[in-house]
Amino acid sequence: MIKEKTTPTKEEAKTAVKEAPQLKTEKVSQELLGEIQQLQDEFTFVQTALGRTSKELLDQASALQKVSVFGDEAIITQQAFLGSLDFSEKQIKSIIPVAMDLAAATGMTLESAVRNTSKTFSGMTGELGEMVPQLRTLTKEQMMAGDAVKVMGDLFGGQAAAQAKTMAGSIEQMKSAVSDAGESIGQVLAPVVIATSDLIKTMAEKVDVAFK
């Protein structure tokens, strides 16, 4: 049986006028603010881990995103992880691209590649000893000096860039670019959206008063 439509009551009309546009705008506002907060959190994450702001590391993350399938957020997270282990900025800048190439060549995650690579600085090959036999020829002192990173750089250099040129890689790069564009637009539009939300709320309240 089809339910007969009824004319909205005055209270229902007031509620619809008040809530619909306000709720929609508030949702958009929260999404944009969320994007901005994420950017601020990433910046703070690196700053806290290193004990200072590092524009060079942030620039590195942005540059590496453009030539790989890894987004800058993922790269910044790993930079901060290395910073929390007291690696110097110079060491971090050398480890990250090699770990990216290692991840692309072996299929492991960027997180695993960074962690395994960082372990070589303690003089241990760990899992990498099986994957990269060449590392077993290095002494503990050589690995602690960063020679393992140089060896892997020679072996896997360019793998992350090559991965980005595949169909799947191109799609991932497109996603990262769209995400960055959304973050930039969010930063610009957030004040406008918030102001619009407040305006609509005020108008809805005036309509409410008019119906009373």
Side-chain angles (χ1 to χ4, degrees), residues 106-128:
T106 63
M108 67 172 63
T109 64
L110 178 59
E111 180 180 2
S112 294
V114 170
R115 277 156 177 69
N116 279 294
T117 302
S118 67
K119 289 178 182 177
T120 64
F121 283 83
S122 64
M124 300 183 295
T125 58
E127 294 179 21
L128 293 181

Side-chain angles (χ1 to χ4, degrees), residues 32-105:
L32 290 175
L33 289 174
E35 294 284 353
I36 295 171
Q37 185 60 52
Q38 183 180 356
L39 287 173
Q40 293 173 336
D41 289 345
E42 290 164 3
F43 187 84
T44 302
F45 194 16
V46 173
Q47 184 176 16
T48 300
L50 294 174
R52 65 185 187 285
T53 299
S54 175
K55 183 177 183 299
E56 285 192 20
L57 289 183
L58 295 175
D59 287 344
Q60 181 193 44
S62 179
L64 290 176
Q65 173 184 260
K66 295 176 182 177
V67 294
S68 73
V69 300
F70 303 106
D72 56 352
E73 294 91 347
I75 296 171
I76 289 170
T77 297
Q78 297 311 312
Q79 289 174 332
F81 166 73
L82 293 173
S84 70
L85 297 180
D86 292 328
F87 280 96
S88 68
E89 185 172 312
K90 181 179 179 180
Q91 288 174 319
I92 294 172
K93 289 179 69 176
S94 68
I95 291 171
I96 291 296
V98 171
M100 289 170 60
D101 285 329
L102 175 65

Side-chain angles (χ1 to χ4, degrees), residues 10-24:
K10 186 167 75 171
E11 286 300 320
E12 290 173 337
K14 288 195 299 180
T15 300
V17 171
K18 286 175 58 179
E19 295 183 356
Q22 181 180 345
L23 290 174
K24 182 176 181 181

